[in-house]
Amino acid sequence: MTEVLSQDEIDQLLTAINAGDTEPEVFKPAADTRKIKIYDFKRPDKFSKEQIRTVSIMHETFARLTTTALSAQLRAMVHVHVASVDQLTYEEFIRSIPTPTTLAVINMDPLKGNAILEIDPAITFSIIERLFGGPGEGTKSQHELTDIESAVMEGIVVRILGNMREAWAQVIDLRPRLGQIDTNPQFAQIVPPTEMVVLVTLETKIGEVEGMMNFCIPYLTIEPIIGKLSTQFWFSSVHRGTTPENLNLLKEKLANVDVSVIAEIGSIQVPIRDVLGLRAGDVVRLNNVRAGDAFSLNIGNKTKFLCRPGIIGKKVAVQIIKKTEELEKEEFEELTAEGEEAL
C-alpha cells in the first residue's frame, strides 16, 4: 500500500531539494505487463477451447469404433486415433491436402450444409488392395480412382459414417449420408474459402501403412448445436442417458440382435450309458411333468413365459399363456391371502 506523506514531511523534502542535499529520483515509466494477443479479423476464432476439447472427445469415440470396424472388415491390424483438432479457414484446409485424394462429401442431416471426410491416398489404396485380396501395402503411384475403386470406397465410407452417428449421439441424432466422392479438392467447394471450419485429424495405420483421415466441419453447419459443445453438457448427457434420442437409438440397435428361444418341456438326469442306448420309440419320463402341463419358454438362459404346444400349418409352434412375472405375482398374492386367513 502506498505511504501518504504528512504536510511537515512534504515541506522538509522540498527544502532539502532546494538546498541541493538530495537529487530527485529519475522518473521511470511503469512497465506495461499486459499480454497482447494478435487478432486477425480475416481469420476469426469461432470455436472456444472448451468446444474444441468436446469435439476431440466425441471423435475419440469415433476413432475407437472405426478401429474396430476396419479391423474386422480388412482382417488386419488397424489403429485410428485423434491426432489434433484445429480451426482454420476452408481455403487453408483445401490447400493442405494432396491431389488427387479421396474426398467424401457428407450430408449432415438434420444439420444444414455438408462436411468433408478426406482419406489419404496411402490409406485409400491400402484399403482397396486389402479388399481385393492383396497384402495391403498400398501403392506409391497417385491416380484418380476407377469406377470399381470408387464403389469400394463408398462402402467403406458408409460403414464409417455409422460410427460417426454413434459418436455424436450424446449431442444430436446425426444421420450422416454420403453425397459423392471426388478426387480433386478444387471441385469440393461446400463453403466460401474464408469460412471457418473445425478440422479433426485422425492418424490412421493399417498394417505398416500410415496416413491421415481428415474430417472437416464448417462453422455454418455446426452453429445450431454450438451451445451443446461444452464439457458440462457432454458429461451431463453421458450420465443422464435416458433422453428419448438415446432410448430410440438403443431400441434400434437392440431390434436386430438375435437371441435363442427354447420351449422346455421338462428335465431329468440320466446316465450317459442310457442316453447312448436310446432308440426310436423309447419313452423318457420327466420329473414332475404331467400331460397337459404348460411348457417353459426360455429367452436366452432365463424363463420368461409359459406356453402350450401346437401346430401352425406344417410347423410345430407354441402359444404363450402368460409371463413368469405375472405367475410370480399371483403366487405371492395367494401366499399372502393364506397368511391372512391363518391370522
Side-chain angles (χ1 to χ4, degrees):
M1 183 175 179
T2 304
E3 183 179 357
V4 180
L5 300 178
S6 65
Q7 186 61 43
D8 292 338
E9 291 173 333
I10 293 174
D11 294 339
Q12 292 176 7
L13 181 60
L14 292 174
T15 303
I17 292 175
N18 293 330
D21 296 338
T22 182
E23 295 292 336
E25 294 183 0
V26 178
F27 174 74
K28 297 181 180 179
D32 192 354
T33 58
R34 293 177 299 173
K35 294 182 179 180
I36 300 175
K37 181 180 178 181
I38 299 176
Y39 187 84
D40 187 357
F41 287 94
K42 295 182 180 179
R43 191 179 180 278
D45 292 340
K46 293 189 175 182
F47 298 92
S48 66
K49 292 183 178 180
E50 185 180 19
Q51 291 165 350
I52 293 293
R53 191 181 307 114
T54 304
V55 172
S56 178
I57 294 173
M58 291 165 54
H59 289 88
E60 283 173 1
T61 303
F62 168 72
R64 288 194 299 270
L65 296 172
T66 303
T67 296
T68 304
L70 290 181
S71 297
Q73 188 166 5
L74 302 180
R75 299 182 183 275
M77 292 296 296
V78 178
H79 181 64
V80 182
H81 73 276
V82 177
S84 64
V85 179
D86 305 296
Q87 54 179 320
L88 64 163
T89 63
Y90 186 69
E91 183 180 14
E92 290 173 330
F93 163 67
I94 290 297
R95 289 181 177 180
S96 66
I97 56 181
T99 303
T101 187
T102 303
L103 279 175
V105 180
I106 309 300
N107 183 285
M108 300 289 284
D109 187 54
L111 299 176
K112 295 181 180 180
N114 298 321
I116 284 183
L117 177 65
E118 187 265 335
I119 304 177
D120 189 273
I123 298 299
T124 297
F125 290 111
S126 176
I127 291 173
I128 292 172
E129 185 178 343
R130 188 81 190 177
L131 291 176
F132 285 174
E137 297 176 356
T139 177
K140 294 183 179 179
S141 63
Q142 295 185 357
H143 63 271
E144 293 188 0
L145 297 178
T146 65
D147 292 342
I148 295 177
E149 290 171 342
S150 295
V152 170
M153 289 308 299
E154 284 180 6
I156 293 294
V157 172
V158 169
R159 189 181 185 98
I160 290 175
L161 293 182
N163 301 330
M164 189 175 296
R165 180 179 183 181
E166 186 169 349
W168 284 58
Q170 302 298 336
V171 176
I172 187 174
D173 183 16
L174 189 67
R175 296 183 295 276
R177 300 193 312 272
L178 174 62
Q180 62 187 29
I181 290 183
D182 294 319
T183 56
N184 191 333
Q186 301 302 324
F187 296 153
Q189 296 296 332
I190 59 174
V191 289
T194 57
E195 180 62 32
M196 295 300 295
V197 300
V198 59
L199 180 65
V200 182
T201 301
L202 302 160
E203 188 172 317
T204 308
K205 184 175 182 181
I206 302 175
E208 299 300 323
V209 179
E210 296 184 7
M212 297 291 182
M213 287 195 299
N214 294 304
F215 186 46
C216 172
I217 315 170
Y219 176 79
L220 292 176
T221 300
I222 207 173
E223 184 179 13
I225 59 168
I226 198 71
K228 296 183 179 181
L229 297 181
S230 64
T231 308
Q232 182 179 1
F233 179 86
W234 171 264
F235 285 107
S236 64
S237 62
V238 169
H239 292 299
R240 185 167 61 249
T242 56
T243 62
E245 293 180 354
N246 292 344
L247 291 176
N248 292 334
L249 183 61
L250 183 60
K251 289 178 181 178
E252 181 180 344
K253 290 184 175 297
L254 291 177
N256 297 323
V257 177
D258 294 331
V259 293
S260 60
V261 180
I262 302 173
E264 183 179 314
I265 302 174
S267 62
I268 187 176
Q269 291 185 351
V270 295
I272 189 64
R273 68 173 67 91
D274 293 344
V275 175
L276 296 175
L278 288 175
R279 298 291 183 270
D282 291 347
V283 176
V284 178
R285 185 173 181 179
L286 303 176
N287 293 330
N288 301 322
V289 177
R290 296 174 297 178
D293 285 353
F295 296 174
S296 298
L297 189 63
N298 301 334
I299 309 298
N301 58 355
K302 294 185 178 180
T303 302
K304 289 295 184 180
F305 304 97
L306 294 180
C307 61
R308 288 196 179 97
I311 296 177
I312 297 180
K314 296 182 179 180
K315 296 182 179 180
V316 178
V318 293
Q319 181 184 31
I320 295 177
I321 303 173
K322 63 176 59 179
K323 295 181 179 180
T324 53
E325 290 84 352
E326 296 175 358
L327 183 64
E328 292 175 357
K329 184 179 179 180
E330 291 177 1
E331 292 177 350
F332 175 76
E333 291 176 351
E334 290 178 359
L335 290 174
T336 304
E338 292 177 359
E340 291 176 352
E341 291 178 0
L343 291 175

